[in-house]
Amino acid sequence: MYIGRFAPSPTGPLHFGSLVAAVASYLEARIHQGRWLVRMEDVDKPREMPGAAANILNTLSEFGFEWDGEVVYQSQRESDYQRAFEILKSNALVYACSCSRKEIADSANHGIEGLVYPGTCRNKHHQTAERLAWRVKVNADLIEFDDAIQGHQLQQLSQDIGDFVLKRSDGFFAYQLAVVVDDALQKVTHIVRGADLLASTPRQIYLQRLLGYTQPQYAHLPLVTNQNGEKLSKQTLAAPIEIHDAKAQLWFALDFLNQQPPLSLKTSSLSTLWQWALENWRLGNINPHNAMATAYK
Ligand code: GLU
């Protein structure tokens, strides 16, 4: 059984980039007669915008998305993350880290995504872990996977990333752990999401292996950028998608995903548009490269 999901972070309303991820993950699940789950990734409470989760769900439903089962909230699943964390801890795979950002910046090399943590605290055996972050030990194994859109991927965590944080010094679990635990517990088989998470995938595969979880299949969508080539996000002040404009926005999302929707669909009903999309959706049509959306030209 195909189980897909859409996992927005309620840091703001949905923008066109998140709509593209919702559309692609939804259509892939539906054409495989699969389930499509919605998970609210509100594990990072300090970054949450009040009201955003309800706003996102309302937008999704007004756009005609139909999700299966109850929406899951990461903020209510701490005990699941704690259980996974304890397994890693009992296998001596995690350690407490007292390094400040400045200490790391002074001693680390640059990797694929920022600084590669040099392992300073690995052998310090901090006694009290109050207010300390917890990192997982990585190794030099090559982690490889085939992405359905971006092709073959390869990373060596020790060189490219370094030991990474699973639990933050403020006590919150990190996205990397939460997402792996949730995808496993929800039995997600296929992950379709933005290419901004492509570089995170080897960390997630590594955690799946440590925890004995099944590895899902991955498809990373091209990113929607603005005129400056920046990913649409709250930081780059992406405009929220508007419910009254649902048909046009969906049409643009299909167009961005290179599905070649006929122009006549722009003015048809929402249900005709969805019907066309379900009949014509091809993951293989997607161009892997990041691009500016027509709507933003
Ligand atoms: N919550 C993440 C985001 O909104 C997506 C996580 C995922 O799809 O794995 O960027």
Side-chain angles (χ1 to χ4, degrees), residues 225-284:
T225 67
N226 61 19
Q227 282 102 325
N228 304 326
E230 299 160 330
K231 173 188 177 255
L232 296 190
S233 68
K234 208 176 137 203
Q235 287 73 27
T236 57
L237 305 177
I241 50 171
E242 302 283 351
I243 289 169
H244 68 81
D245 201 23
K247 268 185 310 194
Q249 296 286 305
L250 274 175
W251 189 93
F252 279 124
L254 292 167
D255 183 57
F256 177 80
L257 291 161
N258 200 24
Q259 303 298 309
Q260 291 146 20
L263 273 174
S264 59
L265 276 184
K266 260 192 199 175
T267 48
S268 63
S269 68
L270 205 51
S271 65
T272 310
L273 202 148
W274 275 120
Q275 174 124 22
W276 181 91
L278 286 164
E279 283 165 10
N280 293 280
W281 172 254
R282 302 270 176 285
L283 189 79

Side-chain angles (χ1 to χ4, degrees), residues 3-291:
I3 303 184
R5 50 48 156 203
F6 176 56
S9 302
T11 52
L14 285 186
H15 53 71
F16 187 73
S18 26
L19 177 67
V20 163
V23 166
S25 60
Y26 183 68
L27 290 170
E28 264 301 280
R30 288 292 178 251
I31 67 158
H32 287 95
Q33 282 80 48
R35 289 168 62 78
W36 186 69
L37 314 178
V38 172
R39 182 170 72 230
M40 219 28 92
E41 299 216 315
D42 57 352
V43 72
D44 190 350
K45 276 286 165 202
R47 283 189 61 223
E48 183 167 353
M49 179 195 265
N55 177 295
I56 289 172
L57 295 176
N58 182 47
T59 304
L60 287 174
S61 99
E62 293 285 336
F63 268 67
F65 291 94
E66 291 170 359
W67 55 88
D68 294 298
E70 297 279 315
V71 174
V72 157
Y73 290 80
Q74 286 192 325
S75 55
Q76 291 165 15
R77 295 164 73 83
E78 203 186 321
S79 56
D80 291 323
Y81 311 143
Q82 186 67 36
R83 216 168 295 129
F85 178 77
E86 291 300 332
I87 293 172
L88 299 174
K89 198 172 165 196
S90 64
N91 289 315
L93 289 161
V94 293
Y95 61 90
C97 170
S98 61
C99 292
S100 65
R101 275 173 208 269
K102 174 154 188 347
E103 283 165 329
I104 298 173
D106 287 346
S107 58
N109 295 325
H110 285 273
I112 283 179
E113 258 189 2
L115 299 168
V116 177
Y117 182 68
T120 321
C121 286
R122 249 197 198 214
N123 299 312
K124 284 197 181 157
H125 306 293
H126 292 294
Q127 285 308 308
T128 161
E130 286 273 306
R131 310 292 303 167
L132 297 186
W134 286 84
R135 292 179 183 272
V136 63
K137 295 178 188 168
V138 300
N139 59 36
D141 292 351
L142 283 185
I143 301 204
E144 300 183 57
F145 69 101
D146 285 309
D147 188 88
I149 299 171
Q150 306 294 334
H152 189 70
Q153 306 290 318
L154 182 149
Q155 233 182 54
Q156 188 180 30
L157 291 178
S158 57
Q159 188 186 311
D160 297 331
I161 301 290
D163 296 342
F164 56 95
V165 172
L166 295 187
K167 196 171 186 182
R168 306 179 342 187
S169 58
D170 59 8
F172 290 105
F173 285 102
Y175 157 71
Q176 304 292 355
L177 181 71
V179 76
V180 163
V181 170
D182 286 337
D183 284 333
L185 295 185
Q186 295 189 284
K187 300 188 166 46
V188 169
T189 59
H190 290 75
I191 295 180
V192 179
R193 62 185 179 189
D196 51 328
L197 294 164
L198 189 62
S200 284
T201 307
R203 266 168 279 177
Q204 296 173 14
I205 291 175
Y206 178 66
L207 291 177
Q208 286 154 9
R209 291 180 186 168
L210 294 184
L211 290 163
Y213 297 154
T214 310
Q215 182 179 321
Q217 291 189 40
Y218 291 96
H220 284 87
L221 303 162
L223 291 184
V224 185
T225 67
N226 61 19
Q227 282 102 325
N228 304 326
E230 299 160 330
K231 173 188 177 255
L232 296 190
S233 68
K234 208 176 137 203
Q235 287 73 27
T236 57
L237 305 177
I241 50 171
E242 302 283 351
I243 289 169
H244 68 81
D245 201 23
K247 268 185 310 194
Q249 296 286 305
L250 274 175
W251 189 93
F252 279 124
L254 292 167
D255 183 57
F256 177 80
L257 291 161
N258 200 24
Q259 303 298 309
Q260 291 146 20
L263 273 174
S264 59
L265 276 184
K266 260 192 199 175
T267 48
S268 63
S269 68
L270 205 51
S271 65
T272 310
L273 202 148
W274 275 120
Q275 174 124 22
W276 181 91
L278 286 164
E279 283 165 10
N280 293 280
W281 172 254
R282 302 270 176 285
L283 189 79
N285 283 358
I286 298 173
N287 177 333
H289 304 297
N290 300 346

